[in-house]
Amino acid sequence: MWDAVKSMKNEGLVSLATFASVFSSYVSFDKVKEAVLTFEVMDQYGCVRDIVALNTLISAICREGKTIDGLEFLSVAKSRIRPDLDSYAILLEGWEKEGNVSLAKTTFDEMVAEVGWDPANVPAYDSFLSTLIKGKDGVNEALKYIDILHQRKCSPGIKFFRDVLEDFQKVGNVRGAELIWKAMVEKVGIRPDTEMYNLMIELYCSKNYTDTAKKMLDEMVFTGAFPDMQSYNVLFHFLIKNRKLKDASVLFNEMVKNEFFPSKTDCIAAVKIFLDIGDPYVAVKVWKFMIENYDSDLDETGNLLINGLRDANMLPEAVKYAEDMIEKGIKVTSATLSRLKHSLSREKKDGVYEELLRKWKSS
């Protein structure tokens, strides 16, 4: 490796990128000491040992999960090269990856002492708070430091809040998410985007707090975020799943109006449930949407609708939708046809059945 570096020096090709590669090679083979010695001889190869070079070495060390070595190197090197914001941001990112709350606090305190408070130091604040929140009493610890940052006119960025909300959504931590959301909106003044609203909507829905999820959906437009396909589909899915069917019916109308179409799976479930509870009119509305917007896997739901209308004493409607299915090439089963025959015969409408059978056979 060094033969190549010497050859590059003779040709005037050595740069910081050259040494960055050497640092990474040494550290990846657990030779941090050799990487540090390489840093010490950089100037002999025409490269300045400045803060950029120092941060490059610290970054190489921390990437390999050896943040403690990076901290020890900085504690020695800072007597010659003054650390900057990036120096500490790199170390704090390392502690975040390693989950070391204690040393993250130590590094944060040293950072404040060395370089002070700076509103631009968002990556460092993000990493520090992300480490704290995963530790013991993490939410309260993070909120405490958000207050401290706020007092110094500093704050974490939207990335921290988005990542935390995503983590809390995955584990179902409603209380933690609400506290972080409040700090983000009221303390820091960040406007949540659509993705962040969707995380909260899904979290509330997963805990059966669909009323609160609907309030979040309604609130979005007033804060500059707008519902998207996911916003509507998540809420519709859980309203159907939890049989909150009046709300589901209202939301379905809103979705279709705004051209955020519900998934086929949820539509199938909706048709079945609305038939089960004796509300065939909404079931028909959902079915009409399905045949206008989906062109496959409709047979089972269509036959379910026909039989449901028949059972609800809506025989003319059952025949109408059977004819419509046949015309559109959606399979009406012989069992469904047999049930219609029985009902039509009882109503002395054998001619209607014969016409339906003729269309069925010719399809």
Side-chain angles (χ1 to χ4, degrees):
M1 180 168 60
W2 281 105
D3 287 340
V5 174
K6 291 173 183 176
S7 175
M8 292 173 69
K9 178 190 174 184
N10 293 334
E11 297 177 23
L13 299 176
V14 174
S15 66
L16 179 58
T18 308
F19 281 94
S21 177
V22 175
F23 295 156
S24 295
S25 296
Y26 274 134
V27 177
S28 66
F29 285 100
D30 204 21
K31 294 182 176 182
V32 175
K33 184 178 178 180
E34 285 80 353
V36 172
L37 291 173
T38 299
F39 175 80
E40 298 296 341
V41 299
M42 285 179 65
D43 52 355
Q44 298 176 23
Y45 291 82
C47 282
V48 180
R49 284 184 298 157
D50 57 9
I51 186 58
V52 178
L54 180 141
N55 288 342
T56 301
L57 175 54
I58 295 175
S59 180
I61 294 171
C62 292
R63 275 200 308 271
E64 294 295 328
K66 305 177 189 298
T67 308
I68 187 63
D69 293 322
L71 182 63
E72 290 174 356
F73 166 66
L74 181 62
S75 67
V76 174
K78 69 181 182 180
S79 62
R80 293 173 289 155
I81 303 173
R82 188 170 188 270
D84 64 2
L85 298 178
D86 288 341
S87 309
Y88 291 102
I90 294 165
L91 289 171
L92 287 168
E93 183 180 2
W95 296 133
E96 179 190 356
K97 290 177 180 176
E98 296 175 30
N100 195 320
V101 175
S102 176
L103 286 175
K105 286 183 176 181
T106 300
T107 302
F108 183 83
D109 291 342
E110 182 181 324
M111 174 183 73
V112 171
E114 292 285 346
V115 298
W117 302 90
D118 190 328
N121 200 11
V122 172
Y125 302 145
D126 282 358
S127 291
F128 177 57
L129 292 171
S130 295
T131 308
L132 289 184
I133 208 160
K134 293 174 183 176
K136 184 179 180 182
D137 199 23
V139 173
N140 288 329
E141 279 286 284
L143 291 174
K144 181 179 78 174
Y145 276 93
I146 288 173
D147 282 340
I148 293 171
L149 288 168
H150 182 68
Q151 292 166 14
R152 301 290 182 165
K153 302 189 184 312
C154 298
S155 66
I158 194 170
K159 179 182 182 300
F160 162 72
F161 291 106
R162 183 183 288 113
D163 289 348
V164 171
L165 291 175
E166 185 175 351
D167 288 342
F168 283 163
Q169 184 270 318
K170 289 177 181 176
V171 299
N173 187 347
V174 173
R175 181 58 179 160
E178 288 178 335
L179 289 171
I180 290 297
W181 185 275
K182 183 177 181 181
M184 172 181 69
V185 174
E186 297 181 9
K187 182 74 68 175
V188 179
I190 288 178
R191 283 189 171 189
D193 58 18
T194 298
E195 180 185 352
M196 298 167 87
Y197 269 104
N198 286 348
L199 289 169
M200 292 298 290
I201 289 170
E202 187 164 358
L203 174 57
Y204 281 128
C205 284
S206 69
K207 295 297 181 180
N208 202 21
Y209 301 148
T210 48
D211 290 344
T212 310
K214 182 61 167 66
K215 288 178 183 177
M216 294 290 283
L217 183 75
D218 294 338
E219 175 190 305
M220 291 176 72
V221 293
F222 298 106
T223 62
F226 291 91
D228 61 8
M229 189 82 76
Q230 182 182 349
S231 315
Y232 280 108
N233 266 299
V234 167
L235 182 55
F236 184 67
H237 171 80
F238 280 96
L239 288 173
I240 292 295
K241 180 180 178 181
N242 296 325
R243 288 181 170 259
K244 296 189 175 182
L245 302 181
K246 182 178 179 181
D247 292 336
S249 178
V250 172
L251 186 66
F252 175 81
N253 292 335
E254 185 178 336
M255 291 174 74
V256 173
K257 177 183 176 182
N258 293 332
E259 297 186 347
F260 290 122
F261 295 160
S263 70
K264 186 195 299 182
T265 301
D266 286 332
C267 286
I268 291 169
V271 170
K272 183 178 188 307
I273 290 174
F274 280 112
L275 288 173
D276 286 346
I277 67 164
D279 192 346
Y281 298 102
V282 177
V284 165
K285 185 187 297 184
V286 177
W287 171 250
K288 285 180 177 179
F289 166 82
M290 290 180 68
I291 59 177
E292 287 173 5
N293 293 280
Y294 297 113
D295 55 11
S296 63
D297 301 323
L298 298 171
D299 299 0
E300 184 177 346
T301 305
N303 282 274
L304 185 71
L305 179 70
I306 295 169
N307 287 303
L309 292 172
R310 170 187 169 274
D311 294 341
N313 296 318
M314 297 174 65
L315 189 57
E317 288 82 359
V319 171
K320 174 181 179 300
Y321 286 105
E323 290 176 336
D324 190 49
M325 284 176 61
I326 292 169
E327 183 179 326
K328 288 180 167 59
I330 302 169
K331 181 180 179 182
V332 176
T333 66
S334 56
T336 296
L337 209 61
S338 178
R339 293 188 188 99
L340 286 175
K341 177 182 180 182
H342 177 76
S343 297
L344 288 167
S345 295
R346 192 170 55 196
E347 297 289 326
K348 302 188 183 305
K349 294 183 178 179
D350 296 295
V352 173
Y353 172 74
E354 292 301 325
E355 177 62 17
L356 182 63
L357 180 63
R358 184 189 66 76
K359 291 178 179 178
W360 184 75
K361 287 181 176 179
S362 62
S363 63

